[in-house]
Amino acid sequence: MPGAGRQREMLCFMPGVAVVPALLVGWSSAAFIISYVIAVLAGHVEPLVPYISDTGTKPPESGIFGFMINISALLGAVTMYIRYLIIEKQNESLRFVRSSCNMFSLCIGLIGCTGMGIVATFQELSVPSVHDIGALVAFGCGVVYITLQSIISYKSCPQWNSYFVCHIRMLISVISCISFVPMIVFASRISMTKIDWTPSEKDYTYHFMSAICEWTVAFGFVFFFLTFIKEFQECKSLTVLDGKIQVY
C-alpha cells in the first residue's frame, strides 16, 4: 500500500538536530545569568559568588529560575537521548562501545535531569532537604554522565570524533569532578541555611568556596554540551521507523 511507508516512517525533527544542544547551552546559560542579575539587583543575594539556587529562591527571580531550569532539564534529557541514538547508529559500523554501557550512561544522565527538576520545583528555603537531595543527584549524576561520555568519545576515535574534541571533553570532566568533591565537602561544613551571606559571618568561607565549585561544575556541564553541537550537525534527521526512533 502507498501509505504504508508513510505510516512506518515519520519525520520527527527538521534536518539537522544540532539546534537541540545549542538551545540547551543558550537556555541554561540564560537561566543562570538572568536569575543572578535579578537577585542581585533586588538585593536578595550578595553579588560575590552566591549559590546558584540562592539566585532563584525569592520572587520574582524564583519563578523565572524554576521555569527556566525545568526547561533546561527537559532539553538536557532530549539532548542525552539523541546522543544515545547517535552512538547506537555509529556502533552499527564500528563496535566501539557496548550498548549496555551506552544505555547506562543515558540512564545516569536522565536521573541527573530529574534532579534538576527537583531543584527547580522545591526551592532552597521552602523544602531544603528535598532541594539538597535534588542538587546532589543533579550534580553527581551529571559529573558521572560527562565522564562516561568522555570515555565513549575516546573509544570512537578517530572515526567519529577528533582527539582534540575528546581532550576538551575529558578536561571539562576532570575539572568538574575535581570541583564536585570540595563543593560537597565545604557545603557539609555550613551550619545554617540562608541566602544573604556577608563576609563577616560564620561559615562564609565554606559557603564561598562551595559556591565557586558549584558554578564551576554547572558551567562545566554547559561547555561540555557545547562540544556536542558539531557532532549533532552530522545527524541529518531523526525518524520513527517500525516504532523505533532512528538517526540518519
Side-chain angles (χ1 to χ4, degrees):
M1 293 179 62
R6 289 192 293 270
Q7 291 175 356
R8 292 174 62 247
E9 183 171 331
M10 178 181 65
L11 186 65
C12 290
F13 287 90
M14 295 174 59
V17 293
V19 65
V20 181
L23 185 59
L24 170 61
V25 168
W27 185 272
S28 299
S29 299
F32 297 145
I33 294 170
I34 291 174
S35 298
Y36 169 81
V37 170
I38 295 176
V40 170
L41 292 178
H44 295 158
V45 296
E46 290 296 316
L48 186 60
V49 200
Y51 275 128
I52 295 174
S53 296
D54 290 351
T55 67
T57 299
K58 294 183 178 180
E61 64 268 18
S62 58
I64 297 172
F65 180 84
F67 170 73
M68 296 191 74
I69 294 300
N70 272 316
I71 297 298
S72 291
L74 177 61
L75 289 172
V78 174
T79 299
M80 292 171 182
Y81 183 61
I82 295 175
R83 169 67 174 166
Y84 164 81
L85 293 175
I86 290 175
I87 294 173
E88 288 295 293
K89 186 68 176 180
Q90 293 171 345
N91 248 348
E92 293 179 3
S93 59
L94 178 65
R95 299 293 297 183
F96 57 87
V97 65
R98 294 181 180 179
S99 293
S100 57
C101 179
N102 191 24
M103 175 59 73
F104 177 73
S105 177
L106 172 64
C107 291
I108 289 294
L110 294 180
I111 293 172
C113 291
T114 302
M116 283 184 65
I118 293 174
V119 168
T121 304
F122 299 93
Q123 295 173 357
E124 183 179 8
L125 296 181
S126 301
V127 196
S129 58
V130 177
H131 178 91
D132 290 344
I133 291 173
L136 182 62
V137 170
F139 284 104
C141 289
V143 166
V144 174
Y145 176 80
I146 65 174
T147 302
L148 290 174
Q149 286 299 315
S150 297
I151 295 171
I152 291 174
S153 297
Y154 271 112
K155 288 181 173 293
S156 69
C157 280
Q159 182 170 353
W160 298 112
N161 280 291
S162 69
Y163 281 104
F164 175 75
V165 171
C166 292
H167 294 337
I168 293 297
R169 288 177 181 172
M170 184 56 72
L171 177 62
I172 294 173
S173 299
V174 169
I175 293 174
S176 297
C177 287
I178 292 174
S179 300
F180 175 74
V181 175
M183 180 187 80
I184 300 301
V185 172
F186 285 126
S188 67
R189 302 294 297 273
I190 299 174
S191 58
M192 64 188 83
T193 300
K194 57 179 301 184
I195 65 173
D196 51 341
W197 289 88
T198 57
S200 59
E201 289 183 291
K202 176 187 176 184
D203 295 338
Y204 175 80
T205 301
Y206 296 139
H207 160 78
F208 180 74
M209 297 302 297
S210 180
I212 289 177
C213 293
E214 183 187 55
W215 282 94
T216 301
V217 176
F219 273 96
F221 296 156
V222 170
F223 287 121
F224 189 90
F225 285 115
L226 187 64
T227 68
F228 279 176
I229 294 177
K230 187 177 185 301
E231 192 171 347
F232 277 43
Q233 287 174 338
E234 299 173 3
C235 174
K236 300 304 179 184
S237 65
L238 292 180
T239 64
V240 175
L241 183 61
D242 293 331
K244 297 180 178 180
I245 301 178
Q246 298 182 0
V247 295
Y248 296 96

